[in-house]
Coordinates of all heavy atoms in Angstrom, one line a residue:
M1 N 24.4 -21.3 -66.6 CA 24.6 -21.6 -65.2 C 23.4 -21.0 -64.4 O 23.0 -19.9 -64.6 CB 25.9 -20.9 -64.7 CG 26.1 -20.9 -63.2 SD 27.5 -19.9 -62.7 CE 28.9 -21.0 -63.1
S2 N 22.9 -21.8 -63.5 CA 21.8 -21.4 -62.7 C 22.3 -20.6 -61.5 O 23.3 -20.9 -60.9 CB 21.0 -22.6 -62.3 OG 20.1 -22.4 -61.3
S3 N 21.4 -19.7 -61.0 CA 21.8 -19.0 -59.8 C 20.6 -18.9 -58.8 O 19.5 -18.8 -59.3 CB 22.2 -17.5 -60.2 OG 22.2 -16.7 -59.1
E4 N 20.9 -19.0 -57.6 CA 19.9 -18.9 -56.5 C 19.4 -17.5 -56.3 O 18.4 -17.3 -55.7 CB 20.4 -19.6 -55.2 CG 21.3 -18.7 -54.5 CD 21.7 -19.3 -53.1 OE1 20.8 -19.8 -52.4 OE2 22.9 -19.1 -52.7
I5 N 20.2 -16.5 -56.8 CA 19.9 -15.1 -56.5 C 18.5 -14.7 -57.0 O 17.7 -14.2 -56.2 CB 21.0 -14.2 -57.0 CG1 22.4 -14.6 -56.5 CG2 20.7 -12.7 -56.7 CD1 22.5 -14.8 -55.1
P6 N 18.2 -15.0 -58.3 CA 16.8 -14.7 -58.7 C 15.7 -15.3 -57.9 O 14.7 -14.7 -57.7 CB 16.8 -15.1 -60.2 CG 18.3 -15.1 -60.6 CD 19.0 -15.5 -59.4
D7 N 16.0 -16.6 -57.5 CA 15.0 -17.3 -56.6 C 14.8 -16.6 -55.3 O 13.7 -16.4 -54.8 CB 15.4 -18.7 -56.4 CG 15.4 -19.5 -57.7 OD1 14.7 -19.1 -58.7 OD2 16.1 -20.6 -57.7
L8 N 15.9 -16.1 -54.7 CA 15.8 -15.4 -53.4 C 15.1 -14.1 -53.6 O 14.3 -13.7 -52.7 CB 17.2 -15.2 -52.8 CG 17.9 -16.5 -52.3 CD1 19.4 -16.2 -52.0 CD2 17.2 -17.0 -51.1
I9 N 15.4 -13.4 -54.7 CA 14.7 -12.1 -54.9 C 13.2 -12.3 -55.2 O 12.4 -11.6 -54.7 CB 15.4 -11.3 -56.0 CG1 16.8 -10.9 -55.5 CG2 14.6 -10.1 -56.5 CD1 17.7 -10.3 -56.5
A10 N 12.9 -13.4 -55.9 CA 11.5 -13.7 -56.1 C 10.8 -14.1 -54.8 O 9.6 -13.7 -54.6 CB 11.4 -14.9 -57.1
A11 N 11.5 -14.8 -53.9 CA 10.9 -15.1 -52.6 C 10.7 -13.8 -51.8 O 9.7 -13.7 -51.1 CB 11.8 -16.1 -51.9
L12 N 11.6 -12.9 -51.9 CA 11.4 -11.6 -51.3 C 10.2 -10.9 -51.8 O 9.3 -10.4 -51.1 CB 12.7 -10.7 -51.4 CG 12.6 -9.3 -50.9 CD1 12.4 -9.3 -49.4 CD2 13.9 -8.6 -51.2
R13 N 10.0 -10.9 -53.1 CA 8.9 -10.2 -53.8 C 7.6 -10.8 -53.4 O 6.6 -10.1 -53.2 CB 9.1 -10.3 -55.3 CG 10.2 -9.5 -55.9 CD 9.9 -8.0 -56.0 NE 9.4 -7.2 -54.9 CZ 10.1 -6.7 -53.9 NH1 11.4 -6.7 -53.9 NH2 9.4 -6.0 -53.0
D14 N 7.5 -12.2 -53.4 CA 6.2 -12.8 -53.1 C 5.9 -13.0 -51.6 O 4.9 -13.5 -51.2 CB 6.1 -14.2 -53.9 CG 7.0 -15.3 -53.3 OD1 7.4 -15.2 -52.2 OD2 7.2 -16.2 -54.1
G15 N 6.8 -12.5 -50.8 CA 6.6 -12.5 -49.3 C 6.9 -13.8 -48.6 O 6.7 -14.0 -47.5
S16 N 7.4 -14.8 -49.4 CA 7.8 -16.1 -48.7 C 9.1 -16.0 -47.9 O 9.4 -16.9 -47.1 CB 7.8 -17.2 -49.7 OG 8.8 -17.0 -50.7
M17 N 9.9 -14.9 -48.1 CA 11.0 -14.7 -47.3 C 11.0 -13.2 -47.0 O 10.6 -12.4 -47.8 CB 12.3 -15.0 -48.1 CG 12.6 -16.5 -48.2 SD 14.2 -16.9 -49.1 CE 15.3 -16.7 -47.7
T18 N 11.6 -12.9 -45.8 CA 11.7 -11.4 -45.5 C 13.0 -10.9 -46.0 O 13.9 -11.7 -46.4 CB 11.7 -11.3 -43.9 OG1 12.9 -11.9 -43.4 CG2 10.4 -11.9 -43.3
L19 N 13.2 -9.6 -46.0 CA 14.4 -9.0 -46.4 C 15.6 -9.5 -45.5 O 16.7 -9.8 -45.9 CB 14.3 -7.4 -46.3 CG 15.6 -6.7 -46.7 CD1 16.1 -7.0 -48.1 CD2 15.3 -5.2 -46.5
D20 N 15.3 -9.6 -44.2 CA 16.3 -10.1 -43.2 C 16.8 -11.5 -43.6 O 17.9 -11.9 -43.5 CB 15.8 -10.0 -41.8 CG 15.8 -8.6 -41.3 OD1 16.4 -7.7 -41.8 OD2 15.0 -8.4 -40.3
Q21 N 15.8 -12.4 -44.0 CA 16.2 -13.7 -44.3 C 17.0 -13.8 -45.6 O 18.0 -14.6 -45.7 CB 14.9 -14.6 -44.5 CG 14.1 -14.8 -43.2 CD 12.8 -15.5 -43.5 OE1 12.1 -15.1 -44.4 NE2 12.4 -16.4 -42.7
V22 N 16.6 -13.0 -46.6 CA 17.4 -13.0 -47.8 C 18.8 -12.4 -47.6 O 19.8 -13.0 -48.0 CB 16.7 -12.2 -48.9 CG1 17.6 -12.1 -50.2 CG2 15.4 -12.9 -49.3
A23 N 18.9 -11.4 -46.8 CA 20.2 -10.8 -46.4 C 21.1 -11.8 -45.7 O 22.3 -11.9 -46.0 CB 20.0 -9.5 -45.6
E24 N 20.5 -12.5 -44.8 CA 21.2 -13.6 -44.1 C 21.8 -14.6 -45.0 O 22.9 -15.1 -44.9 CB 20.4 -14.2 -43.0 CG 21.1 -15.2 -42.1 CD 22.4 -14.6 -41.4 OE1 22.3 -13.4 -41.1 OE2 23.3 -15.3 -41.2
R25 N 21.0 -15.0 -46.0 CA 21.4 -16.0 -47.0 C 22.5 -15.4 -47.8 O 23.5 -16.1 -48.1 CB 20.2 -16.4 -47.9 CG 20.6 -17.4 -48.9 CD 21.1 -18.8 -48.3 NE 21.7 -19.5 -49.3 CZ 23.0 -19.8 -49.4 NH1 23.8 -19.5 -48.4 NH2 23.5 -20.5 -50.4
F26 N 22.5 -14.1 -48.1 CA 23.5 -13.5 -48.9 C 24.8 -13.5 -48.1 O 25.9 -13.6 -48.6 CB 23.1 -12.0 -49.2 CG 22.3 -11.9 -50.5 CD1 21.4 -12.9 -50.9 CD2 22.3 -10.7 -51.2 CE1 20.7 -12.8 -52.0 CE2 21.6 -10.6 -52.3 CZ 20.7 -11.6 -52.8
R27 N 24.7 -13.3 -46.7 CA 25.9 -13.3 -45.9 C 26.5 -14.6 -45.8 O 27.8 -14.8 -45.6 CB 25.5 -12.8 -44.5 CG 25.3 -11.3 -44.3 CD 25.0 -10.9 -42.9 NE 24.3 -9.7 -42.8 CZ 23.0 -9.5 -42.8 NH1 22.2 -10.6 -42.7 NH2 22.5 -8.3 -42.8
E28 N 25.7 -15.7 -45.9 CA 26.2 -17.1 -45.7 C 26.9 -17.6 -47.0 O 27.7 -18.6 -46.9 CB 25.1 -18.0 -45.3 CG 24.5 -17.7 -43.9 CD 23.2 -18.4 -43.7 OE1 22.6 -19.0 -44.6 OE2 22.7 -18.3 -42.5
R29 N 26.6 -17.1 -48.1 CA 27.1 -17.7 -49.4 C 28.4 -17.1 -49.8 O 28.8 -16.0 -49.3 CB 26.0 -17.6 -50.5 CG 25.9 -16.2 -51.0 CD 24.7 -16.1 -52.1 NE 24.8 -17.0 -53.2 CZ 25.4 -16.8 -54.3 NH1 26.2 -15.8 -54.4 NH2 25.4 -17.7 -55.2
T30 N 29.1 -17.8 -50.7 CA 30.3 -17.2 -51.2 C 29.9 -16.5 -52.5 O 29.0 -17.0 -53.2 CB 31.4 -18.3 -51.5 OG1 30.8 -19.6 -51.5 CG2 32.5 -18.2 -50.7
W31 N 30.6 -15.5 -52.8 CA 30.3 -14.7 -54.0 C 31.5 -14.7 -55.0 O 32.7 -14.6 -54.5 CB 30.0 -13.2 -53.6 CG 28.8 -13.1 -52.9 CD1 28.6 -13.3 -51.5 CD2 27.5 -12.9 -53.4 NE1 27.3 -13.1 -51.2 CE2 26.6 -12.9 -52.3 CE3 27.0 -12.7 -54.6 CZ2 25.2 -12.7 -52.4 CZ3 25.6 -12.5 -54.8 CH2 24.7 -12.5 -53.7
P32 N 31.3 -15.0 -56.2 CA 32.4 -15.1 -57.2 C 33.1 -13.7 -57.3 O 32.4 -12.7 -57.2 CB 31.8 -15.5 -58.5 CG 30.3 -15.2 -58.4 CD 30.0 -15.2 -56.9
R33 N 34.3 -13.7 -57.5 CA 35.1 -12.5 -57.7 C 35.7 -12.4 -59.1 O 36.0 -13.5 -59.6 CB 36.2 -12.4 -56.6 CG 35.6 -12.4 -55.2 CD 36.6 -12.0 -54.2 NE 36.0 -12.2 -52.9 CZ 36.3 -11.4 -51.9 NH1 37.2 -10.4 -52.1 NH2 35.8 -11.5 -50.7
Q34 N 35.8 -11.3 -59.6 CA 36.5 -11.1 -60.9 C 38.0 -11.0 -60.7 O 38.5 -10.0 -60.1 CB 36.0 -9.8 -61.5 CG 34.6 -9.7 -61.9 CD 34.4 -10.4 -63.3 OE1 34.2 -11.6 -63.3 NE2 34.4 -9.7 -64.3
P35 N 38.7 -12.1 -61.1 CA 40.1 -11.9 -61.1 C 40.6 -11.0 -62.2 O 40.2 -11.1 -63.3 CB 40.6 -13.3 -61.4 CG 39.5 -14.0 -62.1 CD 38.2 -13.3 -61.7
S36 N 41.3 -10.0 -61.8 CA 41.7 -9.0 -62.8 C 43.2 -8.7 -62.6 O 43.6 -7.8 -61.8 CB 40.9 -7.7 -62.8 OG 40.6 -7.4 -61.5
P37 N 44.0 -9.4 -63.4 CA 45.5 -9.1 -63.3 C 45.7 -7.7 -63.8 O 45.1 -7.3 -64.8 CB 46.1 -10.1 -64.2 CG 45.0 -10.7 -65.1 CD 43.7 -10.4 -64.4
L38 N 46.5 -7.0 -63.2 CA 46.8 -5.6 -63.6 C 47.8 -5.6 -64.8 O 48.7 -6.3 -64.8 CB 47.5 -4.8 -62.4 CG 46.6 -4.7 -61.2 CD1 47.4 -4.0 -60.1 CD2 45.3 -3.8 -61.5
P39 N 47.4 -4.7 -65.7 CA 48.3 -4.6 -66.9 C 49.7 -4.1 -66.4 O 49.8 -3.2 -65.6 CB 47.7 -3.6 -67.8 CG 46.3 -3.4 -67.3 CD 46.3 -3.9 -65.9
T40 N 50.8 -4.6 -67.0 CA 52.1 -4.1 -66.7 C 52.8 -3.4 -67.8 O 53.8 -2.7 -67.5 CB 53.0 -5.3 -66.2 OG1 53.0 -6.3 -67.3 CG2 52.4 -6.0 -65.0
T41 N 52.3 -3.4 -69.0 CA 52.9 -2.7 -70.1 C 51.8 -1.9 -70.8 O 50.6 -2.1 -70.6 CB 53.5 -3.7 -71.2 OG1 52.4 -4.4 -71.8 CG2 54.5 -4.6 -70.5
Y42 N 52.3 -0.9 -71.6 CA 51.3 -0.1 -72.3 C 50.5 -1.0 -73.2 O 49.3 -0.7 -73.3 CB 52.1 1.0 -73.1 CG 51.1 1.8 -73.9 CD1 50.5 2.9 -73.3 CD2 50.9 1.6 -75.3 CE1 49.6 3.7 -74.0 CE2 50.0 2.4 -76.0 CZ 49.4 3.5 -75.3 OH 48.5 4.2 -76.0
L43 N 51.0 -2.0 -73.9 CA 50.3 -2.8 -74.8 C 49.2 -3.6 -74.0 O 48.0 -3.7 -74.5 CB 51.2 -3.8 -75.5 CG 50.5 -4.7 -76.5 CD1 49.8 -3.9 -77.6 CD2 51.6 -5.6 -77.1
E44 N 49.5 -4.1 -72.8 CA 48.5 -4.8 -72.0 C 47.4 -3.8 -71.5 O 46.3 -4.2 -71.5 CB 49.2 -5.4 -70.8 CG 50.1 -6.6 -71.1 CD 50.8 -7.1 -69.9 OE1 50.7 -6.5 -68.8 OE2 51.5 -8.2 -70.0
L45 N 47.8 -2.6 -71.2 CA 46.8 -1.6 -70.8 C 45.9 -1.3 -72.0 O 44.7 -1.2 -71.8 CB 47.5 -0.3 -70.3 CG 46.7 0.8 -69.8 CD1 45.9 0.3 -68.6 CD2 47.5 2.0 -69.4
A46 N 46.4 -1.1 -73.2 CA 45.6 -0.8 -74.4 C 44.7 -2.0 -74.7 O 43.5 -1.8 -75.0 CB 46.5 -0.5 -75.6
T47 N 45.2 -3.2 -74.5 CA 44.3 -4.4 -74.8 C 43.2 -4.5 -73.7 O 42.1 -4.8 -74.1 CB 45.2 -5.7 -74.7 OG1 46.2 -5.6 -75.7 CG2 44.4 -6.9 -74.9
A48 N 43.5 -4.3 -72.5 CA 42.5 -4.3 -71.4 C 41.5 -3.3 -71.6 O 40.3 -3.5 -71.3 CB 43.2 -4.1 -70.1
A49 N 41.8 -2.1 -72.1 CA 40.9 -1.0 -72.4 C 39.8 -1.4 -73.5 O 38.7 -0.9 -73.5 CB 41.6 0.2 -72.8
Q50 N 40.2 -2.3 -74.3 CA 39.3 -2.8 -75.4 C 38.4 -4.0 -75.0 O 37.5 -4.3 -75.7 CB 40.2 -3.2 -76.6 CG 41.0 -2.0 -77.2 CD 40.1 -0.9 -77.7 OE1 39.1 -1.2 -78.4 NE2 40.4 0.3 -77.4
Q51 N 38.7 -4.6 -73.9 CA 37.9 -5.7 -73.4 C 36.8 -5.3 -72.5 O 36.9 -4.3 -71.8 CB 38.9 -6.8 -72.8 CG 39.9 -7.3 -73.7 CD 40.9 -8.2 -73.0 OE1 41.0 -8.2 -71.8 NE2 41.6 -9.0 -73.8
D52 N 35.8 -6.2 -72.5 CA 34.7 -5.9 -71.5 C 35.0 -6.5 -70.2 O 34.8 -7.7 -70.0 CB 33.4 -6.5 -72.1 CG 32.2 -6.3 -71.2 OD1 32.3 -5.5 -70.2 OD2 31.1 -6.9 -71.5
S53 N 35.6 -5.7 -69.3 CA 36.0 -6.2 -68.0 C 34.8 -6.4 -67.1 O 34.9 -7.0 -66.0 CB 37.0 -5.3 -67.3 OG 36.4 -4.0 -67.1
E54 N 33.6 -5.9 -67.5 CA 32.4 -6.0 -66.7 C 31.4 -7.0 -67.2 O 30.2 -6.8 -67.2 CB 31.8 -4.6 -66.6 CG 32.7 -3.5 -66.0 CD 33.0 -3.8 -64.6 OE1 32.1 -4.3 -63.8 OE2 34.1 -3.5 -64.2
A55 N 31.9 -8.1 -67.8 CA 31.0 -9.1 -68.3 C 30.1 -9.7 -67.2 O 30.5 -9.9 -66.1 CB 31.8 -10.2 -69.0
Y56 N 28.8 -9.9 -67.6 CA 27.9 -10.5 -66.6 C 28.3 -11.8 -66.1 O 28.7 -12.7 -66.9 CB 26.5 -10.5 -67.3 CG 25.5 -11.3 -66.5 CD1 24.9 -10.7 -65.4 CD2 25.1 -12.6 -66.8 CE1 23.9 -11.3 -64.6 CE2 24.1 -13.2 -66.0 CZ 23.6 -12.6 -65.0 OH 22.6 -13.3 -64.2
R57 N 28.2 -12.1 -64.8 CA 28.5 -13.4 -64.2 C 27.3 -13.8 -63.4 O 27.0 -13.3 -62.3 CB 29.7 -13.2 -63.3 CG 31.0 -12.9 -64.1 CD 32.2 -13.0 -63.2 NE 32.3 -14.4 -62.8 CZ 33.3 -14.8 -62.0 NH1 34.1 -13.9 -61.5 NH2 33.4 -16.0 -61.6
P58 N 26.6 -14.9 -63.9 CA 25.5 -15.4 -63.1 C 26.0 -15.9 -61.7 O 27.1 -16.3 -61.6 CB 25.0 -16.6 -63.9 CG 25.5 -16.3 -65.3 CD 26.8 -15.6 -65.1
G59 N 25.1 -15.7 -60.7 CA 25.5 -16.1 -59.4 C 26.4 -15.1 -58.6 O 26.8 -15.3 -57.5
S60 N 26.6 -13.9 -59.3 CA 27.4 -12.9 -58.7 C 26.5 -11.7 -58.3 O 25.3 -11.7 -58.5 CB 28.4 -12.4 -59.7 OG 27.9 -11.6 -60.7
F61 N 27.1 -10.6 -57.8 CA 26.3 -9.4 -57.4 C 25.6 -8.9 -58.7 O 24.7 -8.1 -58.5 CB 27.3 -8.4 -56.8 CG 26.5 -7.2 -56.2 CD1 25.7 -7.4 -55.1 CD2 26.7 -6.0 -56.8 CE1 25.1 -6.3 -54.5 CE2 26.0 -4.9 -56.2 CZ 25.2 -5.1 -55.1
D62 N 26.1 -9.3 -59.9 CA 25.4 -8.8 -61.1 C 23.9 -9.1 -61.1 O 23.1 -8.4 -61.6 CB 26.0 -9.5 -62.3 CG 27.5 -9.0 -62.6 OD1 27.9 -8.0 -62.0 OD2 28.2 -9.7 -63.4
D63 N 23.5 -10.3 -60.5 CA 22.1 -10.6 -60.4 C 21.3 -9.7 -59.5 O 20.2 -9.3 -59.8 CB 22.0 -12.1 -59.8 CG 22.4 -13.1 -60.8 OD1 22.3 -12.9 -62.0 OD2 22.7 -14.2 -60.3
V64 N 22.0 -9.2 -58.5 CA 21.3 -8.2 -57.6 C 21.1 -6.9 -58.3 O 20.1 -6.2 -58.3 CB 22.1 -8.0 -56.3 CG1 21.4 -7.0 -55.4 CG2 22.3 -9.3 -55.6
V65 N 22.2 -6.4 -59.0 CA 22.1 -5.2 -59.8 C 21.1 -5.3 -60.9 O 20.3 -4.3 -61.1 CB 23.5 -4.9 -60.4 CG1 23.4 -3.7 -61.3 CG2 24.5 -4.6 -59.3
A66 N 21.0 -6.4 -61.6 CA 20.0 -6.6 -62.6 C 18.6 -6.5 -62.0 O 17.7 -5.9 -62.6 CB 20.2 -7.9 -63.3
A67 N 18.4 -7.1 -60.9 CA 17.0 -7.1 -60.2 C 16.7 -5.6 -59.9 O 15.6 -5.2 -60.0 CB 17.0 -8.0 -59.0
Y68 N 17.7 -4.9 -59.4 CA 17.4 -3.5 -59.0 C 17.1 -2.7 -60.2 O 16.2 -1.9 -60.3 CB 18.7 -2.9 -58.3 CG 18.5 -1.5 -57.9 CD1 17.8 -1.1 -56.9 CD2 19.2 -0.5 -58.7 CE1 17.6 0.3 -56.5 CE2 19.1 0.8 -58.3 CZ 18.3 1.2 -57.3 OH 18.2 2.5 -57.0
D69 N 17.9 -2.9 -61.3 CA 17.6 -2.2 -62.6 C 16.3 -2.5 -63.1 O 15.7 -1.6 -63.8 CB 18.7 -2.5 -63.6 CG 20.1 -1.9 -63.3 OD1 20.1 -1.0 -62.4 OD2 21.1 -2.4 -63.8
R70 N 15.7 -3.7 -62.9 CA 14.4 -4.0 -63.4 C 13.3 -3.6 -62.5 O 12.1 -3.8 -62.7 CB 14.3 -5.6 -63.6 CG 15.1 -6.0 -64.8 CD 14.8 -7.5 -65.2 NE 14.8 -8.4 -64.1 CZ 15.9 -9.1 -63.7 NH1 17.0 -8.9 -64.2 NH2 15.8 -9.9 -62.7
G71 N 13.7 -2.9 -61.4 CA 12.7 -2.4 -60.4 C 12.1 -3.5 -59.5 O 11.1 -3.3 -58.8
L72 N 12.9 -4.6 -59.3 CA 12.4 -5.7 -58.4 C 12.9 -5.4 -57.0 O 12.4 -6.1 -56.1 CB 12.9 -7.0 -58.9 CG 12.5 -7.5 -60.3 CD1 13.2 -8.8 -60.7 CD2 11.0 -7.6 -60.3
L73 N 13.8 -4.5 -56.8 CA 14.3 -4.2 -55.5 C 14.2 -2.7 -55.3 O 14.5 -1.9 -56.2 CB 15.8 -4.5 -55.3 CG 16.1 -6.0 -55.4 CD1 17.6 -6.2 -55.4 CD2 15.5 -6.8 -54.2
S74 N 13.7 -2.3 -54.1 CA 13.7 -0.9 -53.7 C 15.1 -0.4 -53.4 O 16.0 -1.2 -53.2 CB 12.8 -0.6 -52.5 OG 13.4 -1.2 -51.4
D75 N 15.3 0.9 -53.3 CA 16.6 1.4 -52.9 C 17.0 0.8 -51.5 O 18.2 0.4 -51.4 CB 16.6 3.0 -52.7 CG 16.4 3.7 -54.1 OD1 16.6 3.0 -55.1 OD2 16.1 4.9 -54.1
H76 N 16.1 0.8 -50.6 CA 16.5 0.2 -49.3 C 16.8 -1.3 -49.4 O 17.8 -1.7 -48.8 CB 15.3 0.4 -48.3 CG 15.5 -0.3 -47.0 ND1 16.4 0.2 -46.1 CD2 14.9 -1.4 -46.4 CE1 16.4 -0.6 -45.0 NE2 15.5 -1.5 -45.2
E77 N 16.1 -2.0 -50.1 CA 16.4 -3.5 -50.2 C 17.7 -3.7 -50.9 O 18.5 -4.5 -50.4 CB 15.3 -4.2 -51.1 CG 14.0 -4.3 -50.3 CD 12.8 -4.6 -51.2 OE1 12.9 -4.4 -52.5 OE2 11.8 -5.2 -50.7
Y78 N 18.0 -2.9 -51.9 CA 19.3 -3.0 -52.6 C 20.4 -2.6 -51.6 O 21.4 -3.4 -51.6 CB 19.3 -2.0 -53.8 CG 20.6 -2.0 -54.5 CD1 20.9 -3.0 -55.5 CD2 21.6 -1.0 -54.3 CE1 22.1 -3.0 -56.2 CE2 22.8 -1.0 -54.9 CZ 23.1 -2.0 -55.9 OH 24.3 -2.0 -56.5
E79 N 20.3 -1.6 -50.8 CA 21.3 -1.2 -49.9 C 21.6 -2.3 -48.9 O 22.7 -2.7 -48.5 CB 21.0 0.1 -49.2 CG 21.0 1.3 -50.0 CD 20.5 2.5 -49.4 OE1 20.3 2.5 -48.1 OE2 20.2 3.5 -50.1
V80 N 20.5 -2.9 -48.3 CA 20.6 -4.0 -47.3 C 21.3 -5.2 -48.0 O 22.2 -5.8 -47.4 CB 19.2 -4.4 -46.8 CG1 19.3 -5.7 -46.0 CG2 18.7 -3.3 -45.9
L81 N 20.9 -5.6 -49.2 CA 21.5 -6.7 -49.8 C 23.0 -6.5 -50.2 O 23.8 -7.4 -50.1 CB 20.7 -7.2 -51.0 CG 19.3 -7.7 -50.6 CD1 18.5 -8.0 -51.9 CD2 19.3 -8.8 -49.6
A82 N 23.3 -5.3 -50.7 CA 24.6 -4.9 -51.0 C 25.5 -5.0 -49.8 O 26.7 -5.5 -49.9 CB 24.7 -3.5 -51.7
E83 N 25.1 -4.5 -48.7 CA 25.9 -4.6 -47.5 C 26.0 -6.1 -47.0 O 27.1 -6.4 -46.6 CB 25.2 -3.8 -46.3 CG 26.0 -3.8 -45.0 CD 27.4 -3.4 -45.1 OE1 27.7 -2.5 -45.9 OE2 28.2 -3.9 -44.3
A84 N 25.0 -6.9 -47.2 CA 25.2 -8.3 -46.9 C 26.2 -9.0 -47.7 O 27.0 -9.8 -47.2 CB 23.8 -9.0 -47.0
V85 N 26.3 -8.7 -49.0 CA 27.3 -9.2 -49.9 C 28.7 -8.7 -49.5 O 29.6 -9.5 -49.4 CB 27.0 -8.8 -51.4 CG1 28.2 -9.2 -52.3 CG2 25.7 -9.4 -51.9
A86 N 28.8 -7.5 -49.1 CA 30.1 -6.9 -48.7 C 30.5 -7.6 -47.4 O 31.7 -8.0 -47.2 CB 30.0 -5.4 -48.4
E87 N 29.6 -7.9 -46.5 CA 29.9 -8.6 -45.2 C 30.4 -10.0 -45.5 O 31.4 -10.5 -44.9 CB 28.7 -8.7 -44.3 CG 28.3 -7.3 -43.7 CD 27.0 -7.4 -42.9 OE1 26.6 -8.5 -42.5 OE2 26.4 -6.3 -42.7
S88 N 29.8 -10.7 -46.5 CA 30.2 -12.0 -46.8 C 31.6 -12.0 -47.4 O 32.4 -12.9 -47.0 CB 29.2 -12.6 -47.9 OG 29.7 -13.8 -48.4
K89 N 31.9 -11.1 -48.3 CA 33.2 -11.0 -48.9 C 34.3 -10.6 -47.8 O 35.4 -11.2 -47.8 CB 33.2 -10.0 -50.0 CG 32.5 -10.5 -51.2 CD 32.6 -9.5 -52.4 CE 32.0 -10.1 -53.6 NZ 32.2 -9.2 -54.8
R90 N 34.0 -9.7 -46.9 CA 34.9 -9.4 -45.8 C 35.2 -10.6 -45.0 O 36.4 -10.8 -44.6 CB 34.4 -8.2 -45.0 CG 34.5 -6.9 -45.7 CD 34.2 -5.7 -44.8 NE 32.9 -5.7 -44.2 CZ 31.9 -5.0 -44.8 NH1 32.1 -4.2 -45.8 NH2 30.7 -5.0 -44.2
A91 N 34.2 -11.4 -44.6 CA 34.4 -12.6 -43.8 C 35.2 -13.6 -44.6 O 36.1 -14.2 -44.0 CB 33.0 -13.2 -43.5
E92 N 35.0 -13.7 -45.9 CA 35.8 -14.6 -46.7 C 37.3 -14.2 -46.7 O 38.2 -15.0 -46.6 CB 35.3 -14.7 -48.1 CG 36.0 -15.7 -49.0 CD 35.4 -15.8 -50.4 OE1 34.3 -15.3 -50.6 OE2 36.0 -16.4 -51.2
D93 N 37.5 -12.9 -46.8 CA 38.9 -12.3 -46.8 C 39.5 -12.6 -45.5 O 40.7 -13.0 -45.4 CB 38.8 -10.8 -47.0 CG 38.5 -10.4 -48.5 OD1 38.5 -11.3 -49.4 OD2 38.2 -9.3 -48.7
R94 N 38.8 -12.5 -44.4 CA 39.4 -12.7 -43.0 C 39.7 -14.2 -42.9 O 40.8 -14.5 -42.4 CB 38.4 -12.3 -41.9 CG 38.3 -10.8 -41.7 CD 37.5 -10.5 -40.4 NE 36.2 -10.9 -40.4 CZ 35.1 -10.2 -40.9 NH1 35.3 -9.0 -41.5 NH2 33.9 -10.7 -40.9
R95 N 38.8 -15.1 -43.4 CA 39.1 -16.5 -43.3 C 40.4 -16.9 -44.2 O 41.2 -17.6 -43.7 CB 37.9 -17.4 -43.8 CG 36.8 -17.5 -42.8 CD 35.8 -18.5 -43.3 NE 35.2 -18.2 -44.6 CZ 34.1 -17.4 -44.8 NH1 33.5 -16.8 -43.7 NH2 33.6 -17.2 -46.0
S96 N 40.5 -16.3 -45.4 CA 41.6 -16.5 -46.2 C 42.9 -16.1 -45.6 O 43.9 -16.7 -45.6 CB 41.4 -15.9 -47.6 OG 40.4 -16.4 -48.3
A97 N 42.9 -14.9 -45.0 CA 44.0 -14.3 -44.3 C 44.5 -15.2 -43.1 O 45.6 -15.4 -42.9 CB 43.8 -12.9 -43.8
A98 N 43.5 -15.7 -42.4 CA 43.8 -16.6 -41.2 C 44.4 -17.9 -41.7 O 45.2 -18.5 -41.0 CB 42.6 -16.8 -40.4
E99 N 44.0 -18.4 -42.8 CA 44.4 -19.7 -43.3 C 45.8 -19.6 -44.0 O 46.5 -20.6 -44.1 CB 43.4 -20.3 -44.3 CG 42.1 -20.7 -43.6 CD 41.0 -21.1 -44.6 OE1 41.2 -21.0 -45.8 OE2 39.9 -21.4 -44.1
S100 N 46.1 -18.5 -44.6 CA 47.4 -18.4 -45.3 C 48.6 -18.3 -44.4 O 48.5 -17.6 -43.4 CB 47.4 -17.2 -46.3 OG 47.2 -16.0 -45.6
P101 N 49.6 -18.9 -44.7 CA 50.8 -18.9 -43.8 C 51.5 -17.5 -43.8 O 51.4 -16.8 -44.8 CB 51.8 -19.9 -44.4 CG 51.3 -20.1 -45.8 CD 49.9 -19.8 -45.8
D102 N 52.0 -17.1 -42.7 CA 52.7 -15.8 -42.6 C 54.0 -15.9 -43.4 O 54.9 -16.7 -43.1 CB 53.0 -15.5 -41.1 CG 53.6 -14.1 -40.9 OD1 53.7 -13.4 -41.9 OD2 53.9 -13.8 -39.8
P103 N 54.2 -15.0 -44.4 CA 55.4 -15.1 -45.2 C 56.7 -14.7 -44.5 O 57.8 -14.9 -44.9 CB 55.2 -14.2 -46.4 CG 54.1 -13.2 -45.9 CD 53.3 -14.0 -44.8
G104 N 56.5 -14.0 -43.3 CA 57.7 -13.5 -42.6 C 58.2 -14.4 -41.6 O 59.0 -15.0 -41.1

């Protein structure tokens, strides 16, 4: 699966995009989320403990973390982009809440 995240970080590195432009693009996109059903029994808990719940997902925040780990992002750039991702997810949560019918 291809991801635009490495391309955006490369554009930041080569100066063809500013940090503000990349952050804005991060705010505009949707980010995949890890669905994680909570274990309900001891056996499910033991099984979950043996699985890699942190598997890499292209197109997710994992791409940003990987770029930071490789030294492609400074601390400041990482913080700005992480906040942009959080803003995007919060906005998505607000849209979902507004679209879902009130159960009461």
